[in-house]
Amino acid sequence: VVAVTHDRGFLERVATAILEVDRDARTVHRHGDGWAGYRTAKAAARRRAEQDHVEWVQEVARIEELLDAAGKRLATTGKDPRQGFGKHRRSHEAKLGGQVRAARERLAHLRRNPVTAPPQPLRFTAALPATGEEHPTDQDHERPLAELTGVAVGTRLRLDGALTVAPGQRLLVTGENGAGKTTLLRVLAGDLEPDAGTVRRPARIGYLAQELPARSTRLPLLAAFAAGRPGLPDEYADELLSLGLFRAEDLHVPVAALSAGQQRRLQIASLVTRPADLLVLDEPTNHLALDLVEDLEAALALYPGAVVAVSHDRSFREHFPAERLELRGGRRHG
């Protein structure tokens, strides 16, 4: 059996080997021992990349130090012309000069072929309290971060009473297809106004929609990432590249020409670089490579803000420590 899947539960139970297509290198890597072997190999590759970067930095520093010392020695030999230039001195300077040239060539080669550090793990950040205080007070923790009261959207969603989200809370919304999960998240995120009821939400919300936006724009990737932020798009290039989600040559590709996976990574990049008190995530693992899914899960585990999520990913649900809210026919159950 040869299968393509993003279902990690399926891979854990069925796959005996994993073939990973590397988009950048245009190669296929085979990992034995199924999903466990794949994860072990990826972790080992990251450790090697970190060590290679450290060794590159150390080698550049060593050669720079050697050149600095050699330059001082050459300057010293030429300070006093009365010392003369005997055969031995000329031979010594020629040898030293050759070493300097070799070191310069080696340094130039290293700088032309840098070994960059692997990207740092993804990190979500919470916005500071509206009061400007560095730390929220006990009263802030007691007050709901978001509250939906008597909300109704046509026949798709009807919430009797109030649904509250506390600071730092984790809430997983479940229910069959058509139960109103996406409608609820859209209302909570401010993407959809309800027909009835009231909604109170924090000012800064990170919203990841289930469906990719219909983008016909020719706006380049970097410009789309920087949209709504002060300054020129080029000022944000280093920030975007540091996430390890894109290559430098991707930055000027029109958003409309990006693959579904690339568009999803653009959404993730925007989420992790804009502080928010509440993350609203609708099928967050859709269109993501499996290693990025695990990076996303690790980032959520460290995020201090509140998270409301919907997911059909069995592994995501199992590893997401949250209260459950079940919807049936647009109504809250239990």
Side-chain angles (χ1 to χ4, degrees):
V1 177
V2 178
V4 173
T5 181
H6 283 167
D7 188 331
R8 288 168 291 169
F10 176 90
L11 291 172
E12 290 173 354
R13 289 188 281 271
V14 175
T16 58
I18 304 260
L19 300 179
E20 181 184 31
V21 180
D22 189 319
R23 178 181 67 95
D24 297 337
R26 301 183 185 276
T27 58
V28 177
H29 303 283
R30 185 184 188 278
H31 303 281
D33 300 325
W35 178 244
Y38 169 81
R39 296 186 69 206
T40 299
K42 296 296 284 188
R46 180 176 179 86
R47 289 193 297 270
R48 286 196 302 271
E50 291 172 345
Q51 183 59 35
D52 289 345
H53 173 68
V54 169
E55 292 176 355
W56 180 85
V57 170
Q58 291 175 341
E59 179 70 356
V60 168
R62 185 187 68 82
I63 295 178
E64 288 177 338
E65 185 177 348
L66 185 152
L67 287 172
D68 184 61
K72 292 178 180 177
R73 290 166 63 188
L74 284 172
T76 301
T77 60
K79 275 186 178 179
D80 188 355
R82 295 174 296 178
Q83 292 179 348
F85 293 92
K87 181 178 180 181
H88 175 73
R89 181 178 297 279
R90 288 195 299 271
S91 174
H92 173 73
E93 289 181 349
K95 181 179 179 180
L96 188 59
Q99 292 174 344
V100 169
R101 285 193 297 273
R104 284 174 176 167
E105 290 174 2
R106 171 64 176 161
L107 183 60
H109 173 77
L110 289 171
R111 287 175 172 168
R112 286 195 303 269
N113 301 275
V115 179
T116 58
Q120 293 297 311
L122 297 178
R123 290 287 184 270
F124 292 103
T125 56
L128 290 174
T131 59
E133 299 174 1
E134 184 178 355
H135 301 289
T137 65
D138 292 338
Q139 185 178 3
D140 292 326
H141 284 296
E142 294 173 0
R143 184 187 306 121
L145 182 67
E147 185 172 13
L148 282 67
T149 305
V151 164
V153 179
T155 60
R156 292 177 290 168
L157 180 68
R158 183 171 295 277
L159 297 179
D160 298 324
L163 171 64
T164 61
V165 179
Q169 182 181 0
R170 300 294 194 267
L171 181 64
L172 183 66
V173 182
T174 65
E176 297 181 354
N177 289 339
K181 301 185 299 296
T182 291
T183 301
L184 173 61
L185 263 60
R186 289 184 62 194
V187 170
L188 181 60
D191 187 57
L192 175 66
E193 288 299 321
D195 299 326
T198 60
V199 180
R200 188 177 64 81
R201 60 178 71 89
R204 298 188 185 185
I205 295 179
Y207 176 47
L208 186 66
Q210 176 180 353
E211 300 298 331
L212 295 172
R215 297 180 184 269
S216 58
T217 177
R218 301 299 296 176
L219 199 67
L221 167 63
L222 180 57
F225 172 72
R229 305 174 74 176
L232 299 174
D234 287 346
E235 298 175 25
Y236 299 95
D238 289 343
E239 180 183 22
L240 178 55
L241 292 175
S242 70
L243 300 175
L245 300 175
F246 296 98
R247 303 168 299 174
E249 51 266 40
D250 296 327
L251 298 185
H252 302 292
V253 175
V255 172
L258 297 177
S259 68
Q262 288 174 313
Q263 291 193 30
R264 196 59 160 182
R265 291 202 296 273
L266 174 58
Q267 292 177 314
I268 296 294
S270 296
L271 279 182
V272 299
T273 53
R274 290 167 170 81
D277 289 309
L278 171 64
L279 295 178
V280 179
L281 310 176
D282 195 353
E283 300 293 351
T285 64
N286 280 5
H287 307 296
L288 294 181
L290 296 177
D291 53 349
L292 183 54
V293 168
E294 295 207 330
D295 289 345
L296 180 64
E297 289 176 336
L300 287 175
L302 296 174
Y303 172 63
V307 182
V308 178
V310 167
S311 178
H312 283 100
D313 185 325
R314 291 177 292 176
S315 183
F316 179 89
R317 295 201 304 267
E318 289 171 3
H319 293 94
F320 185 61
E323 300 176 44
R324 262 54 171 178
L325 170 65
E326 183 180 3
L327 295 181
R328 292 182 183 177
R331 291 180 179 271
R332 175 172 51 184
H333 180 77

